[in-house]
Amino acid sequence: MRNKIVAGNWKMNNTLEQGVTLASEIVNMVANELTDDVKMVLCTPYIHLSSVSKIIGDAEKISLGAQNCNDNLKGAYTGEISVDMLKSVGVEYVILGHSERREYYGESNEFLAGKVNTVIEAGLTPIFCCGETLETRERGAHFDFVTNQLTESLFHLSVENFSKIVIAYEPIWAIGTGVTASKEQAQEMHEKLRAHIAKKYGTEIADGTSILYGGSCNPKNAADLFAQKDIDGGLIGGASLKSRDFVDIGKSY
Ligand code: PEP
């Protein structure tokens, strides 16, 4: 049985005070309302991690995540954050390869393969993002493009290490646009990705890999998306900044 995960990517939003309020609201709502076997993950800005970690405490259904890390373990990398620093404040998950990092910071599939290694070796769980542009979809190259992202960034991993990965399929045209992939479009891609994983690592590993959907997911469309057989939860941007919406998405199974 693969894990159901709903992760919130706060991106570069919220002062520390606002982040503490948001996290406190989410932790309380989850404790009182979330009955299903879903893991909620709060991927906050670095500066919030330590405070949010204390708010989460030992809450069972919520974990802490980061939105990025450096690929080196330590040293002269001004302004960067290492995996050991993340671990020291209780981080368990790290988003890697978000399309905004690929686009604005030039992160390539090859570069991300190195970051994936660093994160796994530290004992953290990568949430590896993949997804195509609208132009790529319109010329019918989306399946090849996205499966290739997995091949180039993840398929060097051993079976044991691959089984530690969480994947998030995020069509770029759906991120922050209010346009969600239809449940059929999302399911079709998730199925392709699972088949691609099965070809390399076998059915058992593919069946155990959590593949999340991301892209304008909200409390209204989450239930339809999560009902698809290959969709194991969501990576949520805008709607993760509202406690009520985020928790309602978590309750959409
Ligand atoms: C994201 O950026 O990971 C994301 C899914 O954003 P949104 O939910 O706002 O589309």
Side-chain angles (χ1 to χ4, degrees):
M1 262 282 284
R2 45 193 185 250
N3 296 325
K4 297 174 186 169
I5 299 169
V6 173
N9 175 9
W10 293 8
K11 308 192 184 185
M12 196 174 73
N13 291 297
N14 285 329
T15 62
L16 180 58
E17 196 182 355
Q18 290 165 335
V20 162
T21 303
L22 176 60
S24 306
E25 288 171 4
I26 292 169
V27 168
N28 284 333
M29 287 180 190
V30 166
N32 293 326
E33 302 175 23
L34 196 71
T35 49
D36 286 327
D37 189 17
V38 179
K39 167 73 78 182
M40 309 287 283
V41 184
L42 304 183
C43 300
T44 79
Y46 291 137
I47 201 166
H48 299 60
L49 289 170
S50 177
S51 304
V52 172
S53 182
K54 291 184 188 113
I55 293 165
I56 292 175
D58 53 13
E60 267 179 28
K61 292 182 173 159
I62 308 193
S63 293
L64 190 62
Q67 299 171 22
N68 184 30
C69 66
N70 193 268
D71 51 322
N72 297 287
L73 291 181
K74 63 190 289 188
Y77 301 100
T78 302
E80 291 295 292
I81 299 285
S82 74
V83 282
D84 282 348
M85 293 173 192
L86 296 179
K87 280 169 68 174
S88 73
V89 293
V91 165
E92 292 177 55
Y93 293 81
V94 184
I95 297 174
L96 291 180
H98 191 280
S99 63
E100 288 151 14
R101 294 216 57 88
R102 291 175 187 265
E103 183 180 350
Y104 306 140
Y105 304 99
E107 296 193 359
S108 65
N109 291 341
E110 188 190 9
F111 174 68
L112 288 166
K115 269 200 192 184
V116 166
N117 293 342
T118 306
V119 168
I120 289 182
E121 278 160 25
L124 299 169
T125 301
I127 301 178
F128 179 81
C129 301
C130 54
E132 80 286 358
T133 61
L134 188 56
E135 186 272 323
T136 303
R137 177 168 280 265
E138 282 176 347
R139 68 184 155 80
H142 46 301
F143 296 128
D144 285 348
F145 183 86
V146 180
T147 52
N148 187 54
Q149 288 180 317
L150 263 55
T151 303
E152 292 192 357
S153 297
L154 302 179
F155 279 12
H156 62 285
L157 294 170
S158 64
V159 177
E160 191 193 342
N161 282 343
F162 187 87
S163 67
K164 296 171 183 163
I165 295 272
V166 171
I167 290 171
Y169 167 58
E170 299 206 302
I172 296 170
W173 45 273
I175 295 180
T177 58
V179 179
T180 316
S182 68
K183 58 185 194 304
E184 292 83 10
Q185 285 172 319
Q187 166 57 28
E188 191 183 25
M189 180 63 85
H190 282 230
E191 194 174 343
K192 287 267 192 266
L193 293 178
R194 206 176 295 290
H196 189 60
I197 295 165
K199 226 190 264 174
K200 169 79 179 170
Y201 291 104
T203 317
E204 198 180 325
I205 295 292
D207 284 347
T209 304
S210 293
I211 308 181
L212 317 183
Y213 167 79
S216 299
C217 189
N218 60 45
K220 290 202 176 96
N221 59 33
D224 264 357
L225 288 160
F226 296 174
Q228 304 307 304
K229 77 174 171 46
D230 288 296
I231 300 184
D232 308 307
L235 179 55
I236 318 298
S240 74
L241 297 172
K242 293 184 190 139
S243 51
R244 181 72 272 155
D245 285 359
F246 184 59
V247 176
D248 281 350
I249 292 172
K251 289 162 68 181
S252 294
Y253 273 101

